[in-house]
Amino acid sequence: KGKHKDTDNMLTNLQLGSCHGNSSGWNLGGEKEPLSINVATFERPLRKLTFAQLIEATNGFSQESLIGIGGFGEVYKAELKDGSIVAIKKLLQFSYQGDREFTAEMETLGKIKHRNLVPLLGYCKVGEERLLVYEYMHGGSLDDMLHGDDATTNGEKKSKQKLTWDLRKRIARGAARGLSFLHHNCIPHIIHRDMKSSNVLLDQSMEARVSDFGMARLISALDTHLSVSTLAGTPGYVPPEYYQSFRCTTKGDIYSFGVILLELLTGKRPTDKEFFEDTNLVGWVRQLVNENKSLETLDQSLRDDSNANDELEMLQYLRIACDCVQDQPSRRPSMLEIVSMLKELQVQEGLSH
């Protein structure tokens, strides 16, 4: 009975508190021997990699090797001679300003190591081409896991793993730690600018790794003509203040992280015209919370497998998500605070078992 009382209190608190509120061609620039250019790397095993080997490993950057197309370029899966598997990002061609900025940014990004970030292993410059080499993430993206069908995880045919509540919590904690590291531990501090479920990748142990960090910074360092509006994120994840001013802040990342938490809790995409009509995931959740129907926001498949303890915890996660998507940036918590809140919930869970 006490548990139900806790859930009721949580629902009331929620209601009162938080929620008010394509393929490019190649441009090798007349290089005499582009194919023998070395890949500059940060990890020993890849040190002797050349552009020719990248072409060979991706079968000439073939359609079969293509596993994703993002805002900054195409991503190919490649198996190297030593059997290791990497992901190669071929950047879209902007009007690059020069090699110095690119190399400086790469050296900065290459030094950033954390278990919840996708490691950048190396990079390659050939004429106008810019290639980045990352560790390959076998679990695909959170977006695929939540919203994809069985056949599309990372371009490979395999059945989708069921995302239990325990797994979703683990992914939320990992992504929070990765983003917190970028905001608070990196020098210079890095604002992601495009946090979304397709940029939360999962490794073989289903540990969450944030990807594409530093990309917006890199592109703006390379291309001074690029309007910041093109770097301000993905519909559904963009905080309201970015529509007034394109100044990106850590609080903008926190709004986007809140949307990812809502995706984990509801199982819904951030934008879905058919389902949400004139609003989006944030607006829909707000409405239900304000009508004291918070439980109705939760993914039915989670509720089917949950007990009263789980539901109470889901509502606590919902409270944190709603704090993250406050309209006023100053009312959103910092990533350090979010990591701490999630850790506290983990401790409480341990005590209740």
Side-chain angles (χ1 to χ4, degrees), residues 99-209:
D99 286 347
R100 256 210 336 254
E101 291 88 345
F102 178 74
T103 307
E105 284 296 325
M106 288 296 96
E107 294 301 331
T108 300
L109 295 179
K111 290 190 186 95
I112 297 171
K113 300 286 180 229
H114 186 272
R115 69 183 170 123
N116 296 112
L117 298 174
V118 176
L120 175 66
L121 302 177
Y123 64 92
C124 187
K125 298 178 300 188
V126 184
E128 296 297 305
E129 294 297 339
R130 301 288 180 272
L131 300 169
L132 312 185
V133 184
Y134 290 94
E135 194 174 300
Y136 177 75
M137 294 290 126
H138 291 265
S141 74
L142 176 58
D143 180 65
D144 280 339
M145 290 293 267
L146 276 173
H147 312 303
D149 57 35
D150 283 354
T152 59
T153 305
N154 239 358
E156 293 174 3
K157 282 194 185 301
K158 55 182 177 186
S159 59
K160 213 167 53 164
Q161 183 168 343
K162 190 178 179 199
L163 277 179
T164 60
W165 176 231
D166 278 345
L167 196 45
R168 293 188 203 207
K169 285 185 294 186
R170 194 171 152 213
I171 290 168
R173 289 193 299 263
R177 284 193 301 266
L179 190 53
S180 178
F181 185 82
L182 294 175
H183 283 189
H184 300 285
N185 301 83
C186 283
I187 308 293
H189 298 319
I190 288 181
I191 299 168
H192 192 293
R193 302 198 212 186
D194 198 17
M195 267 305 278
K196 54 183 173 182
S197 56
S198 57
N199 276 335
V200 175
L201 303 187
L202 304 163
D203 64 17
Q204 268 172 313
S205 346
M206 296 302 284
E207 186 72 42
R209 309 275 203 118

Side-chain angles (χ1 to χ4, degrees), residues 7 11 292-299 303 311 315 318:
T7 304
L11 287 166
N292 206 10
K293 296 177 181 171
S294 296
L295 286 171
E296 289 180 30
T297 65
L298 302 176
D299 189 337
R303 293 190 69 187
E311 283 197 352
L315 291 173
L318 183 60

Side-chain angles (χ1 to χ4, degrees), residues 134-326:
Y134 290 94
E135 194 174 300
Y136 177 75
M137 294 290 126
H138 291 265
S141 74
L142 176 58
D143 180 65
D144 280 339
M145 290 293 267
L146 276 173
H147 312 303
D149 57 35
D150 283 354
T152 59
T153 305
N154 239 358
E156 293 174 3
K157 282 194 185 301
K158 55 182 177 186
S159 59
K160 213 167 53 164
Q161 183 168 343
K162 190 178 179 199
L163 277 179
T164 60
W165 176 231
D166 278 345
L167 196 45
R168 293 188 203 207
K169 285 185 294 186
R170 194 171 152 213
I171 290 168
R173 289 193 299 263
R177 284 193 301 266
L179 190 53
S180 178
F181 185 82
L182 294 175
H183 283 189
H184 300 285
N185 301 83
C186 283
I187 308 293
H189 298 319
I190 288 181
I191 299 168
H192 192 293
R193 302 198 212 186
D194 198 17
M195 267 305 278
K196 54 183 173 182
S197 56
S198 57
N199 276 335
V200 175
L201 303 187
L202 304 163
D203 64 17
Q204 268 172 313
S205 346
M206 296 302 284
E207 186 72 42
R209 309 275 203 118
V210 174
S211 75
D212 258 13
F213 57 90
M215 285 307 297
R217 219 183 98 101
L218 166 66
I219 298 302
S220 33
L222 294 179
D223 191 343
T224 51
H225 305 299
L226 203 60
S227 136
V228 185
S229 62
T230 61
L231 300 172
T234 301
Y237 296 93
V238 179
E241 68 272 16
Y242 281 16
Y243 293 110
Q244 278 91 53
S245 131
F246 290 123
R247 209 177 129 259
C248 297
T249 66
T250 53
K251 293 293 191 180
D253 279 355
I254 285 154
Y255 181 95
S256 307
F257 178 77
V259 177
I260 293 171
L261 284 184
L262 291 180
E263 281 181 85
L264 284 165
L265 287 159
T266 64
K268 298 195 176 348
R269 292 180 183 277
T271 51
D272 180 343
K273 268 271 184 278
E274 241 170 74
F275 186 82
F276 299 128
E277 294 177 352
D278 294 335
T279 183
N280 57 17
L281 178 57
V282 172
W284 176 75
V285 168
R286 269 189 192 151
Q287 191 178 337
L288 285 175
V289 166
N290 290 339
E291 292 169 4
N292 206 10
K293 296 177 181 171
S294 296
L295 286 171
E296 289 180 30
T297 65
L298 302 176
D299 189 337
Q300 194 56 51
S301 71
L302 288 181
R303 293 190 69 187
D304 290 345
D305 292 338
S306 69
N307 56 34
N309 264 346
D310 290 335
E311 283 197 352
L312 174 60
E313 199 179 26
M314 287 172 202
L315 291 173
Q316 290 169 315
Y317 268 71
L318 183 60
R319 175 71 190 261
I320 295 170
C322 286
D323 282 345
C324 292
V325 297
Q326 292 271 8

Side-chain angles (χ1 to χ4, degrees), residues 318-341:
L318 183 60
R319 175 71 190 261
I320 295 170
C322 286
D323 282 345
C324 292
V325 297
Q326 292 271 8
D327 279 342
Q328 278 296 101
S330 60
R331 297 181 66 183
R332 298 172 201 153
S334 70
M335 281 315 300
L336 278 178
E337 289 168 327
I338 293 163
V339 168
S340 161
M341 289 187 272

